[in-house]
Amino acid sequence: MLAAAKEAGVNIPTLCCLDGLTDRGGCRLCIIEVEGNPRLLASCVTQVAEGMVVKTQTERLEKYRKMMVELLFAERNHICAACVMNGNCELQGMAAKLGVDHVRYDYLAPKLEMDATHERNVRDPNRCILCARCIRVW
């Protein structure tokens, strides 16, 4: 569904999708409403069907997308002013796009060990949004 929407020029937000990787529906930002189904569905893993009526921008979807971004900020250490990616961050950009300017939830920010065992990159789980792109690309 997400690919069909992109092809039709419809923008659906996402953080876990990356061209060339199998879709997994992890970030849940690409949720859509499908007429006749009470559940919100991840568009990246929802198959297109004949006669399907899909809504991509509704008040309900915007509410859930904002909540999901807030939860991502609350779950890990995303103090953007101190981050080396400040100004060049997909999570930051998504928050701005969705109008997330504060977080209503308690911050968890567990202290997790960085993984520098790979010769080409360092994985910092403290800044992780659990998109799994880093491990799916290998």
Side-chain angles (χ1 to χ4, degrees), residues 126-138:
N126 297 293
R127 302 225 183 255
C128 183
I129 61 167
L130 305 174
C131 67
R133 293 192 314 192
C134 62
I135 56 176
R136 290 185 297 147
V137 84
W138 295 105

Side-chain angles (χ1 to χ4, degrees), residues 108-129:
L108 300 177
K111 301 262 189 256
L112 303 170
E113 282 191 42
M114 292 177 61
D115 178 2
T117 58
H118 195 276
E119 64 186 53
R120 295 189 183 176
N121 65 21
V122 175
R123 185 177 163 274
D124 184 357
N126 297 293
R127 302 225 183 255
C128 183
I129 61 167

Side-chain angles (χ1 to χ4, degrees), residues 15 27 39 45 50-51 55 73 80 101:
L15 286 173
C27 72
R39 294 180 27 213
V45 293
E50 187 70 33
K55 294 178 185 175
F73 275 106
C80 296
D101 57 4

Side-chain angles (χ1 to χ4, degrees), residues 10-102:
V10 177
N11 183 36
I12 299 175
T14 184
L15 286 173
C16 68
C17 288
L18 187 64
D19 287 342
L21 297 182
T22 304
D23 295 324
R24 70 182 281 265
C27 72
R28 305 314 267 190
L29 289 175
C30 70
I31 54 175
I32 54 172
E33 292 181 33
V34 175
E35 196 172 281
N37 191 333
R39 294 180 27 213
L40 298 177
L41 304 173
S43 65
C44 64
V45 293
T46 300
Q47 297 297 313
V48 176
E50 187 70 33
M52 188 182 246
V53 177
V54 177
K55 294 178 185 175
T56 61
Q57 300 295 325
T58 67
E59 191 174 312
R60 180 182 180 207
L61 292 172
E62 291 302 312
K63 175 184 161 190
Y64 276 93
R65 287 175 180 149
K66 282 183 176 186
M67 179 187 66
M68 284 182 266
V69 169
E70 284 182 64
L71 289 169
L72 287 172
F73 275 106
E75 184 178 35
R76 302 292 171 102
N77 180 12
H78 297 289
I79 301 170
C80 296
C83 182
V84 295
M85 292 297 290
N86 191 23
N88 188 29
C89 169
E90 289 178 69
L91 178 60
Q92 223 177 35
M94 187 62 66
K97 182 178 177 179
L98 294 172
V100 175
D101 57 4
H102 68 284

